[in-house]
């Protein structure tokens, strides 16, 4: 018998929850980000229907086909409530877009700095650090300073992992 549900936790759960919130056209980008953060920190794991989860599985943030694929699989009553992704919701930053630790390990600090340059807002940099378990000072607000601190925190995390593995 085929499984009809999927257990999600960690980054997969967070991506799914943020995607479902961002797909709701009546929620502003700021409200979606706030609600997403609150739900992601409050919920440790979730069981979802596989047909609803599938579009989120390999989707990137702001994927326009995501909503249409999701609404096609939803029951008619739910699909009628969702019609279009709000433009500001599609622009929501995904802190799991890349792994800072993986970029640092495989490509070095210069590549990580280049990836972080694409993140312009301090709030997004804080979200990235929080989501990827990088210890940074919450009082920092300058994006360029935050980028440097994130690189240092990632280097520290990598050093800790290597020390633990030896």
């Amino acid at each position: 018998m085929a499984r009809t549900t999927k257990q999600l936790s960690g980054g997969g759960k967070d991506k799914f929850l943020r995607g479902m919130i961002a797909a709701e056209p009546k929620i502003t980008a700021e409200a979606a980000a706030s609600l997403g953060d609150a739900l992601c920190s409050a919920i440790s794991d979730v069981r979802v229907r596989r047909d609803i989860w599938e579009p989120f599985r390999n989707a990137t943030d702001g994927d326009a086909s995501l909503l249409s694929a999701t609404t096609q699989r939803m029951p008619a009553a739910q699909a009628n409530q969702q019609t279009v992704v709000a433009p500001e919701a599609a622009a929501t930053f995904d802190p799991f877009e890349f792994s800072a630790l993986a970029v640092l390990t495989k490509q070095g600090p210069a590549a990580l700095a280049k990836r972080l340059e694409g993140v312009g807002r301090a709030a997004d940099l804080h979200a990235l650090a929080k989501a990827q378990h990088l210890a940074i000072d919450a009082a920092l607000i300058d994006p360029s300073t935050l980028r440097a601190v994130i690189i240092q925190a990632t280097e520290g995390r990598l050093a800790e992992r290597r020390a633990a593995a030896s």
Side-chain angles (χ1 to χ4, degrees):
M1 183 171 170
R3 295 183 184 197
T4 58
T5 61
K6 172 73 176 166
Q7 183 76 26
L8 297 176
S9 62
K13 171 214 34 133
D14 294 346
K15 184 176 184 178
F16 177 78
L17 290 173
R18 287 188 172 100
M20 287 296 291
I21 294 166
E24 178 56 48
K26 296 177 184 172
I27 298 178
T28 66
E30 286 182 15
S34 177
L35 181 59
D37 289 343
L39 288 175
C40 290
S41 64
I43 298 172
S44 62
D45 62 303
V46 63
R47 182 164 292 281
V48 298
R49 291 189 6 235
R50 282 188 181 269
D51 57 340
I52 301 299
W53 169 72
E54 283 296 328
F56 292 94
R57 185 175 172 190
N58 295 318
T60 58
D61 193 31
D63 188 355
S65 63
L66 178 67
L67 179 61
S68 61
T70 303
T71 56
Q72 288 173 1
R73 290 182 171 93
M74 283 183 178
Q78 289 177 339
N80 290 336
Q81 293 176 358
Q82 297 184 355
T83 54
V84 209
V85 174
E88 60 274 355
T92 303
F93 174 73
D94 180 12
F96 298 105
E97 183 178 335
F98 65 92
S99 167
L101 192 60
V103 172
L104 179 69
T105 304
K106 294 177 182 178
Q107 300 171 0
L112 179 56
K114 187 173 183 177
R115 289 296 300 261
L116 290 172
E117 284 177 15
V119 183
R121 296 179 345 136
D124 293 341
L125 290 165
H126 278 287
L128 181 136
K130 180 179 178 184
Q132 297 192 23
H133 307 286
L134 302 172
I136 64 168
D137 185 0
L140 294 173
I141 58 172
D142 178 47
S144 61
T145 304
L146 275 167
R147 288 184 194 100
V149 170
I150 287 173
I151 292 169
Q152 290 173 346
T154 307
E155 288 172 336
R157 185 157 183 241
L158 179 59
E160 289 172 1
R161 290 180 74 174
R162 286 182 174 160
S166 63

